[in-house]
């Protein structure tokens, strides 16, 4: 069993910054892609960012490109999401996710952390 634990959410004003962290624990090899999803009230969960374990390549949703940066510390089995220039529409529960099965889908999620951006 592998667990994903997020931290770093909170309340921030428009234009502000937050840094989310996610640690994987349990029986983990560390050889899996990880990323972030988010879900706002009344909306479906959506992809935010992904980082490949093999080469560190990153991918972002168009809505966050240039503002968010995903990074990874393989030694700590931890990923981060640096969020800058936050907007009200970034408010959501952010979920850490991982592709433990190697299926190409971020199918395993943590409990989530709330990010609220006030106008």
């Amino acid at each position: 069993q592998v667990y994903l634990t997020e931290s770093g959410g909170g309340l921030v004003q428009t234009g502000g910054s937050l840094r989310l962290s996610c640690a994987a624990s349990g029986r983990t090899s560390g050889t899996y892609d990880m990323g972030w999803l988010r879900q706002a009230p009344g909306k479906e969960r959506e992809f935010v960012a992904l980082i490949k374990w093999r080469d560190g390549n990153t991918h972002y949703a168009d809505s966050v490109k240039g503002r968010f940066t995903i990074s990874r510390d393989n030694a700590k089995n931890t990923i981060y999401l640096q969020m800058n220039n936050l907007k009200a529409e970034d408010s959501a529960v952010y979920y850490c996710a991982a592709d433990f099965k190697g299926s190409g889908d971020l199918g395993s999620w943590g409990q989530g952390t709330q990010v609220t951006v006030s106008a």
Side-chain angles (χ1 to χ4, degrees):
Q1 185 74 17
V2 183
Y3 302 93
L4 300 172
T5 305
E6 304 97 336
S7 61
L11 174 65
V12 64
Q13 291 185 330
T14 299
S17 298
L18 281 176
R19 188 193 194 207
L20 305 183
S21 300
C22 172
S25 59
R27 299 184 64 182
T28 170
S29 64
T31 59
Y32 40 80
D33 298 339
M34 293 184 71
W36 294 91
L37 309 174
R38 68 185 181 185
Q39 187 169 20
K43 295 186 178 181
E44 294 188 353
R45 196 169 299 190
E46 64 176 4
F47 168 78
V48 176
L50 167 75
I51 186 164
K52 297 283 191 176
W53 77 267
R54 186 178 297 276
D55 53 20
N57 279 349
T58 57
H59 303 273
Y60 297 93
D62 288 342
S63 58
V64 306
K65 281 181 181 177
R67 300 187 299 120
F68 290 12
T69 302
I70 188 171
S71 60
R72 181 169 187 154
D73 185 336
N74 287 336
K76 296 181 179 180
N77 284 332
T78 298
I79 65 169
Y80 306 92
L81 185 68
Q82 178 66 43
M83 305 185 293
N84 298 327
N85 191 22
L86 283 160
K87 304 176 182 180
E89 52 263 42
D90 294 318
S91 296
V93 177
Y94 283 70
Y95 296 90
C96 177
D99 178 11
F100 293 133
K101 298 181 179 179
S103 63
D105 295 322
L106 296 175
S108 299
W109 309 320
Q111 292 298 308
T113 185
Q114 177 71 47
V115 171
T116 303
V117 184
S118 63

